[in-house]
Amino acid sequence: MKTLKMQPVFTLELPIGAEAVIRTIRERIRSSDSLRFAKAAGHCAEFSVDPKEKRFWSPHLSVTLSDTEQGSQLYGRFSPRPEIWTFFMFIYFFMACLIFGGGVLGYCQWFMEQTPWALVLIPVSFIVIALLHLASLVGQSLSHDQMEALRRQLDQSIENVADNS
């Protein structure tokens, strides 16, 4: 069984240069109806789920190409849609601020011989962070079928890439 992790990544070694690979990907995006929700710019490509099939936890696939001595390397990352990822990161950051602020305020309250009620923010924030992480893993498992579909789209766009260069 595969372990779930936030923003799963993979790399592929390709026998030709990054410029030829991204050119092939662009051509296939333009010519294939099954890739109509993909786009490419520079040495990057994005593969998205059909808007009719999007759910709150639907992923997208970001691909970056770089040249290597043997050809090129494709670096792929599955992640939530940018607006969802930004929301999660905001909550993580806010909870980290509450942990720090609760610690400082709780210490000040304790030092001034008051009840250090602010220290309660620390375990509460850790619980929220754990629940967010759990929610992201649940969302990832629920969107596994869409991740596989996005990977198939990528594989279709680079299929026989060495033959087309």
Side-chain angles (χ1 to χ4, degrees):
M1 182 174 144
K2 291 183 180 179
T3 60
L4 297 174
K5 60 182 181 177
M6 292 181 73
Q7 293 195 328
V9 297
F10 61 92
T11 57
L12 297 173
E13 300 297 327
L14 300 169
I16 61 172
E19 193 60 44
V21 175
I22 199 67
R23 188 173 41 249
T24 302
I25 290 173
R26 283 190 194 116
E27 289 170 6
R28 293 198 176 147
I29 288 172
R30 278 192 293 272
S31 65
S32 177
D33 193 43
S34 64
L35 298 173
R36 68 181 178 272
F37 303 111
K39 54 188 167 208
H43 281 198
C44 301
E46 298 279 332
F47 296 86
S48 298
V49 175
D50 184 341
K52 295 176 203 160
E53 297 175 11
K54 272 190 183 169
R55 303 178 287 237
F56 179 77
W57 52 83
S58 290
H60 81 278
L61 173 59
S62 299
V63 172
T64 306
L65 288 148
S66 58
D67 286 311
T68 62
E69 291 180 14
Q70 297 81 19
S72 63
Q73 182 182 55
L74 183 144
Y75 178 81
R77 176 184 304 247
F78 290 102
S79 61
R81 296 187 319 272
E83 63 273 15
I84 303 301
W85 182 249
T86 303
F87 174 69
F88 268 64
M89 287 299 101
F90 172 76
I91 293 175
Y92 278 121
F93 178 73
F94 185 73
M95 291 298 117
C97 290
L98 282 181
I99 290 169
F100 178 74
V104 170
L105 183 58
Y107 175 75
C108 291
Q109 289 171 333
W110 172 78
F111 186 75
M112 295 171 53
E113 297 179 359
Q114 296 176 357
T115 304
W117 60 264
L119 293 177
V120 171
L121 294 174
I122 295 171
V124 168
S125 296
F126 276 118
I127 290 169
V128 170
I129 288 172
L131 290 174
L132 274 176
H133 189 70
L134 181 65
S136 70
L137 295 177
V138 168
Q140 188 180 102
S141 67
L142 292 173
S143 65
H144 188 73
D145 60 325
Q146 291 179 333
M147 290 172 65
E148 288 176 346
L150 292 174
R151 179 60 192 257
R152 281 192 301 274
Q153 287 181 16
L154 170 64
D155 292 342
Q156 177 187 350
S157 69
I158 61 172
E159 188 175 48
N160 302 324
V161 73
D163 300 339
N164 296 336
S165 59

